[in-house]
Amino acid sequence: MGYFIILIMSWLDSLISKGKGIILTLIAFAWMAYLGGAASPNTTLDYAGYQYYYDLLVKELPGNRLEWLYTSLSEIAISHNFEYAEFRLWLICVTFIILFIAVLRLTEKPIVFAALFLIFPFFNEVTQVRSFVAYSLVLFGLSFLKKLTIMNIIIFEFIVWLGIGFHSSAAIFVLIPVIQFFVQKVGIKKASHSATVFTIIFSLVLLVTSRVSVIVNLIASMLEIIAGSSVSITFINLMNHSSNRKTFFLIALLSYAVFQWYLSNIGNELFDNDKQVQVPYAQYSLLIMGEMLLPLLLLSDQLQRFQRIGIEGGLLIVGTLFLREKRNKDNTAYIFIIKVLIFVFISMYIYYGLTDLNTDFPNSIPYIAHLVSES
């Protein structure tokens, strides 16, 4: 019941209060950290895999293929006689602290982000722990890109480099300053349209040629050169365990494009009416990047983590726009948040795998939320 209590409190604060809701956001993040950190090894996907590699380090056996910073922290935990469960709890708690700081720096009403994040993509993130840490660091780094100065870019790239130490996929986000420069140069609306056109063309090329296997093999060859054969083999195995990727992709593309188009239009209207408001270019850049990486779903639905962080960039924008709309003292703010909620529920439906209730992940959600006990 704790999950629903926090969720309801977050939404009441979001809809009623005119403030930022920082204290309740902190409470919500603390509760999510507890749920994610204390997840059961028997009902949580990926837990057994993380436990396996942790045990390899404990026994000083070869075979660990995880990134260097995650491995280093694991070794430090082992040197202090931490069990894996203790290490996981500690790591997720620190990650939520980093995410909390990032959210405070990136949106004007953080409680809205917390209320939306609790619905989606919270359960995905605390299941895929390494990518959650990596992408939380990316968001923290993003908070330094309010202005594109050389120093800010250096700080951002350094923080992203730390994120790569947890999950190598974070490397793609070193390009965010380039995309942000393009967005600032041409404007939000034109950049958004360009990203959508790019995404559709790239996707059509993959669908028409149907040479997905060639692309997978090409990426695998590059990974073998960069990271070794074990990473390459793991990537190929991951791609081979994909299902319904075209359906997943088409639903995600439609909902993502509508969401991004709607935000870009309402955003331009608000910023045009308030010249003192600084356009959140960094958040828009992350959102656009998430959309441009949508074609990766045609390779595997396992690559959805790229789109999730793009959506999180959009949720940060929602927090800012909702607060400004609400201060206008009319009903447009509530219409706005209802439209956003529709998108979030669609995302929850497809990204949580609710399209197929026979899969493992949907069944793990009640256990992560402590709605159902194992006994």
Side-chain angles (χ1 to χ4, degrees), residues 2 34 71 73 130 173 194 197 211 247 283 297 305 315 321 351:
Y34 164 70
T71 299
L73 289 179
R130 288 185 301 118
F173 297 106
S194 299
V197 170
R211 297 182 65 84
T247 303
Q283 292 91 313
L297 290 176
R305 55 175 57 90
L315 299 186
L321 297 185
Y351 284 94

Side-chain angles (χ1 to χ4, degrees), residues 2-3 6 26-36 118 122 369-370:
Y3 170 80
I6 296 296
L26 179 60
I27 295 172
F29 273 48
W31 187 252
M32 286 189 282
Y34 164 70
L35 293 178
L118 274 161
F122 164 65
H370 288 192

Side-chain angles (χ1 to χ4, degrees), residues 33-294:
Y34 164 70
L35 293 178
S40 168
N42 300 319
T43 56
T44 306
L45 271 66
D46 292 0
Y47 196 111
Y50 287 126
Q51 178 79 65
Y52 170 75
Y53 287 110
Y54 193 83
D55 289 342
L56 285 180
L57 293 174
V58 171
K59 299 174 183 177
E60 299 183 350
L61 295 174
N64 178 56
R65 60 173 181 78
L66 303 184
E67 285 79 359
W68 68 273
L69 189 49
Y70 179 85
T71 299
S72 297
L73 289 179
S74 298
E75 291 172 340
I76 292 173
I78 291 168
S79 69
H80 287 81
N81 298 317
F82 279 26
E83 298 292 335
Y84 172 70
E86 296 173 295
F87 170 66
R88 176 191 174 93
L89 179 59
W90 172 83
L91 181 63
I92 289 184
C93 285
V94 172
T95 302
F96 268 103
I97 291 173
I98 294 171
L99 182 61
F100 175 72
I101 296 171
V103 169
L104 291 186
R105 290 167 58 90
L106 287 169
T107 187
E108 289 189 17
K109 194 170 177 67
I111 190 59
V112 170
F113 177 89
L116 292 166
F117 187 84
L118 274 161
I119 300 173
F120 170 81
F122 164 65
F123 295 107
N124 282 126
E125 300 294 20
V126 296
T127 298
Q128 299 178 327
V129 176
R130 288 185 301 118
S131 63
F132 177 46
V133 180
Y135 293 174
S136 294
L137 284 167
V138 171
L139 289 176
F140 179 61
L142 199 73
S143 69
F144 290 90
L145 293 182
K146 292 182 179 179
K147 293 185 178 180
L148 277 182
T149 65
I150 294 176
M151 181 56 66
N152 288 346
I153 292 174
I154 290 174
I155 294 172
F156 169 78
E157 299 293 358
F158 173 74
I159 296 174
V160 171
W161 175 73
L162 293 177
I164 297 170
F166 287 94
H167 204 283
S168 56
S169 64
I172 189 67
F173 297 106
V174 300
L175 297 175
I176 284 181
V178 177
I179 295 178
Q180 183 173 338
F181 176 79
F182 174 72
V183 173
Q184 293 181 194
K185 200 75 174 176
V186 304
I188 289 175
K189 185 170 289 189
K190 187 173 181 179
S192 298
H193 292 168
S194 299
T196 300
V197 170
F198 170 85
T199 303
I200 293 173
I201 292 175
F202 186 25
S203 304
L204 288 174
V205 169
L206 292 180
L207 288 170
V208 171
T209 59
S210 299
R211 297 182 65 84
V212 172
S213 61
V214 174
I215 297 172
V216 170
N217 292 332
L218 176 62
I219 295 175
S221 298
M222 294 173 61
L223 286 174
E224 184 172 4
I225 295 172
I226 297 172
S229 59
S230 62
V231 175
S232 175
I233 293 171
T234 301
F235 173 76
I236 292 176
N237 291 336
L238 183 66
M239 297 302 102
N240 290 335
H241 287 84
S242 176
S243 61
N244 298 323
R245 58 193 179 203
K246 289 183 180 179
T247 303
F248 187 4
F249 163 76
L250 290 173
I251 298 173
L253 175 62
L254 179 61
S255 60
Y256 211 112
V258 171
F259 178 63
Q260 187 261 102
W261 170 83
Y262 178 68
L263 284 184
S264 67
N265 278 275
I266 191 173
N268 275 321
E269 292 172 5
L270 286 176
F271 298 133
D272 287 343
N273 293 331
D274 187 355
K275 299 300 183 183
Q276 295 180 345
V277 172
Q278 184 180 20
V279 179
Y281 288 115
Q283 292 91 313
Y284 265 112
S285 301
L286 182 61
L287 175 66
I288 288 172
M289 194 167 189
E291 182 187 1
M292 292 172 67
L293 293 173
L294 270 170

